[in-house]
Structure formats: structure tokens, C-alpha cells
């Protein structure tokens, strides 16, 4: 038997969770009282044999069932006869690690049922239940209403993750441009990887969202159109935030690499300045260390302190000159 996480029955615009297995859910599906009633069956990481058993009972398309069992699929949708197949990526932000965890949510939408298959991280259904409870009239349009409520919850997850990433980028920017030196190249690239996870989930939906808002996709009836437009706007907002974050990260990386180059130039100037200061006494000491018998001032009683004084004066003069020019 398929492991049914939970199932619910909608009658009269009210969605009620019920306890039971797949057989109970299918019995309720066969005995629905009217056209507006439907059954939702939610699964989490079912085995292939269990999923194929459910597919035979409900009539799910084999190709779509196979795709729902393979994780890390690209977001897409396809209409198979009278069943709509939608595959979405789910996103979840992990606060302790500041990483984006990805999952996969597959929807099979029929006239009297909605089957959802979840793989990996990201569970949008607590928000779905809260939304349905807060708007009792939402489900009067049938299973499509619940499907788009799920889509709205997934889009809200995109926005939550994109906002968290934007906050991380702002904190990283403050760290990079704070006084002092810090090497944040690794942190920038790590954050770029997390933004890329979000982009791969949201970007494929952006085109469809724009087409829907422009009226190119005739998917909804008049009563449901405002809600669908809201979902499309959420997707576009998440896509815009992620795009802005990606561009900002690229700018931060360029600026930080410029900082590092400037710091290296400053270090080279300091090294060169100290090398020049050290070269003067080294040259004088090298001349008087050649051990020739006939050298000027070799037997002066004041020769030793005089040479030391000359060395100190030259070093001090070079030090002042380099400080005045900003090299030290």
C-alpha cells in the first residue's frame, strides 16, 4: 500500500482532514456527493511500487509518475489528457547553516482529486492549511483552487528564502566594507551557490508567470483569476529579488577583489620602503667590511660613531620621505 501522509475531503467548500489509508481515500473519491467536492491525497517520498499502485487506481500518466519519483528535476508542467502534471522545486532556508535546502513537489490535478508527492526539504502544507482555514470560500471552485493554494504556498517559500538571502548579502556587505581587513571571497562564493539554488527553482516559473499576467495563458475562470494573479506576482517578486541578489553579489565580489588588490599594493609599497631603508646602512656596512688596509677614515677615532650616525640619519630621512608619500 502507498504510505499516505494524510488525505482530506472537500465538500461544500470545506476541507476536512480524515484518518485512513489509500483504500479509504479512494472510497471517499468514488462516493463524492457533488461536482464541487474532491479528495486531496498527500504523499512523502513514496516507493516506486507504491506510487505505481496509486497511479493505476487514479489513472495518473506513467511518464509523469516516473518524473515524480526522480529528485532534482527541472520545474515544468504538462497536460496529460484531463490530468495536469506540475513539478515544482521547494526551497527552505536553514538558519543555523545559512544554507538553502531544496526539495521537489509534484502535483497531479484531476477533476475530482489532487495528488501531491513531496521529495526532500520544504513543506508548504502548513501554510496551505492556514490559508484554507482563513479563507473558507477559497475551495468552492474545486481541486484547482487547492492546487493553486499549494502553488501560492510554494511561491511564499521562494520569497521567504530570497528575503533571507538578501539579508545575508547585506550582512556580508557590511562585513566587507567595515574598517580593517577581511578575506571574504570564500563567503561570497558560498552565498552565490545558495542564490543559484534559488534561481534554479524560480527562474523556470518566471516566464509562465509573465505570460499569465499578460493574458497569454488561458488557465483560469473569472472567479479564480485574481488569486492566480496574486500567485504569479509572488513568483515574479521572488525572481526579481533573487536576480537583484545575484547582481549585488557580483558587484560585491568585484569590489572585494579590488580591495584585496589595493591591500596587496599597500603591502608591496611598505615592503619596498623598508627594503630601501635597510639598503642604505647595508651598503655602508658592506663597504667598510671589505677589509682593505688602505681605506679613507679607517683609523679615525670618531670613525665608528660617525658611520653609525650617518647610517641613522640616512634611515631617518628615508623613513620621513616614505611617510610623507604614504608608503609607510
Amino acid at each position: 500500500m502507498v504510505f499516505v501522509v494524510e488525505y482530506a475531503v472537500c465538500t461544500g467548500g470545506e476541507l476536512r482532514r480524515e484518518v485512513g489509508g489509500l483504500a479509504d481515500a479512494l472510497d471517499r473519491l468514488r462516493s463524492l456527493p457533488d461536482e464541487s467536492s474532491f479528495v486531496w491525497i498527500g504523499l512523502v517520498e513514496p516507493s516506486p511500487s507504491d506510487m505505481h499502485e496509486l497511479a493505476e487506481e487514479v489513472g495518473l500518466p506513467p511518464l509523469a509518475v516516473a518524473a515524480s519519483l526522480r529528485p532534482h528535476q527541472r520545474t515544468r508542467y504538462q497536460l496529460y489528457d484531463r490530468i495536469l502534471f506540475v513539478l515544482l522545486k521547494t526551497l527552505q532556508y536553514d538558519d543555523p547553516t545559512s544554507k538553502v535546502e531544496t526539495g521537489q513537489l509534484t502535483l497531479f490535478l484531476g477533476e475530482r482529486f489532487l495528488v501531491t508527492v513531496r521529495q526532500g526539504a520544504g513543506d508548504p502544507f502548513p501554510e496551505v492549511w492556514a490559508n484554507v482555514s482563513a479563507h473558507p470560500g477559497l475551495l468552492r471552485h474545486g481541486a484547482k483552487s487547492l492546487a493553486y493554494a499549494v502553488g501560492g504556498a510554494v511561491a511564499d517559500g521562494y520569497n521567504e528564502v530570497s528575503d533571507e538571502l538578501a539579508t545575508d548579502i547585506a550582512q556580508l556587505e557590511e562585513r566587507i566594507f567595515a574598517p580593517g581587513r577581511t578575506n571574504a571571497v570564500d563567503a561570497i562564493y558560498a552565498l552565490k551557490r545558495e542564490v543559484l539554488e534559488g534561481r534554479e527553482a524560480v527562474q523556470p516559473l518566471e516566464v509562465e508567470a509573465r505570460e499569465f499576467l499578460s493574458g497569454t495563458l488561458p488557465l483560469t475562470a473569472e472567479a479564480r483569476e485574481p488569486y492566480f494573479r496574486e500567485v504569479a506576482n509572488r513568483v515574479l517578486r521572488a525572481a526579481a529579488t533573487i536576480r537583484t541578489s545575484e547582481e549585488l553579489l557580483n558587484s560585491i565580489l568585484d569590489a572585494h577583489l579590488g580591495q584585496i588588490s589595493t591591500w596587496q599594493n599597500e603591502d608591496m609599497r611598505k615592503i619596498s620602503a623598508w627594503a630601501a631603508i635597510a639598503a642604505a646602512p647595508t651598503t655602508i656596512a658592506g663597504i667598510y667590511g671589505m677589509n682593505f688596509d688602505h681605506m679613507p677614515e679607517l683609523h679615525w677615532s670618531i670613525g665608528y660613531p660617525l658611520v653609525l650616525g650617518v647610517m641613522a640619519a640616512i634611515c631617518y630621512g628615508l623613513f620621513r620621505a616614505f611617510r610623507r608619500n604614504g608608503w609607510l
Side-chain angles (χ1 to χ4, degrees):
M1 272 296 179
V2 176
F3 175 67
V4 179
V5 176
E6 58 185 343
Y7 80 95
V9 178
C10 179
T11 54
E14 180 182 357
L15 189 67
R16 299 186 307 277
R17 294 182 180 181
E18 300 194 6
V19 178
L22 176 62
D24 300 314
L26 294 176
D27 287 341
R28 293 303 308 270
L29 178 61
R30 298 186 192 102
S31 60
L32 290 175
D34 53 61
E35 293 297 325
S36 64
S37 302
F38 63 90
V39 172
W40 167 62
I41 304 174
L43 312 175
V44 175
E45 299 183 359
S47 67
S49 59
D50 291 340
M51 191 64 196
H52 288 306
E53 182 181 351
L54 176 61
E56 291 179 0
E57 292 284 346
V58 184
L60 303 181
L63 290 177
V65 170
S68 70
L69 293 172
R70 294 194 300 269
H72 312 299
Q73 297 285 302
R74 185 175 176 82
T75 299
R76 63 184 184 274
Y77 68 92
Q78 181 70 44
L79 183 62
Y80 293 91
D81 194 12
R82 303 182 71 177
I83 294 179
L84 178 64
F85 161 72
V86 181
L87 193 149
L88 302 171
K89 280 192 172 184
T90 55
L91 299 179
Q92 178 176 295
Y93 184 83
D94 185 48
D95 281 318
T97 62
S98 298
K99 291 185 178 296
V100 176
E101 298 177 351
T102 61
Q104 181 174 291
L105 182 66
T106 307
L107 285 71
F108 297 92
L109 176 62
E111 293 182 357
R112 311 295 299 279
F113 67 85
L114 173 67
V115 175
T116 59
V117 182
R118 184 163 62 87
Q119 304 271 0
D123 184 5
F125 291 104
E127 182 178 342
V128 173
W129 285 110
N131 190 23
V132 169
S133 301
H135 304 87
L138 180 65
L139 300 178
R140 67 179 183 273
H141 302 292
K144 288 183 179 180
S145 299
L146 181 60
Y148 276 91
V150 173
V154 172
D156 286 342
Y158 294 161
N159 280 291
E160 290 174 5
V161 170
S162 63
D163 290 342
E164 291 286 355
L165 290 174
T167 300
D168 288 346
I169 292 172
Q171 293 174 350
L172 180 61
E173 188 177 21
E174 291 178 1
R175 170 188 164 192
I176 290 173
F177 294 106
R181 295 188 181 188
T182 180
N183 189 342
V185 174
D186 291 343
I188 294 174
Y189 274 107
L191 196 50
K192 282 175 72 69
R193 284 196 298 269
E194 304 309 315
V195 172
L196 180 60
E197 292 283 358
R199 182 169 67 100
E200 290 180 349
V202 178
Q203 190 178 44
L205 295 174
E206 186 176 3
V207 176
E208 282 76 10
R210 294 189 185 280
E211 289 180 352
F212 175 79
L213 291 176
S214 65
T216 308
L217 295 179
L219 292 177
T220 65
E222 307 80 20
R224 295 189 298 273
E225 186 172 347
Y227 179 74
F228 292 161
R229 286 185 174 275
E230 176 60 26
V231 173
N233 283 321
R234 294 180 205 174
V235 171
L236 292 180
R237 177 186 176 277
T241 303
I242 289 175
R243 190 183 306 109
T244 301
S245 296
E246 198 167 21
E247 293 173 355
L248 183 57
L249 271 176
N250 290 333
S251 300
I252 291 174
L253 178 60
D254 291 340
H256 188 48
L257 292 177
Q259 276 185 329
I260 294 175
S261 178
T262 300
W263 296 336
Q264 291 175 342
N265 290 336
E266 291 175 354
D267 292 340
M268 289 303 300
R269 286 200 303 267
K270 290 179 180 180
I271 293 172
S272 300
W274 285 114
I277 292 173
T282 301
T283 301
I284 297 174
I287 293 173
Y288 280 93
M290 291 188 293
N291 295 321
F292 289 111
D293 289 332
H294 303 287
M295 295 183 65
E297 300 87 25
L298 188 62
H299 299 289
W300 282 13
S301 60
I302 63 170
Y304 180 71
L306 178 63
V307 170
L308 291 180
V310 171
M311 289 181 181
I314 293 174
C315 291
Y316 180 73
L318 290 173
F319 178 80
R320 290 292 303 271
F322 284 131
R323 281 293 295 267
R324 187 167 55 251
N325 293 330
W327 283 45
L328 290 175

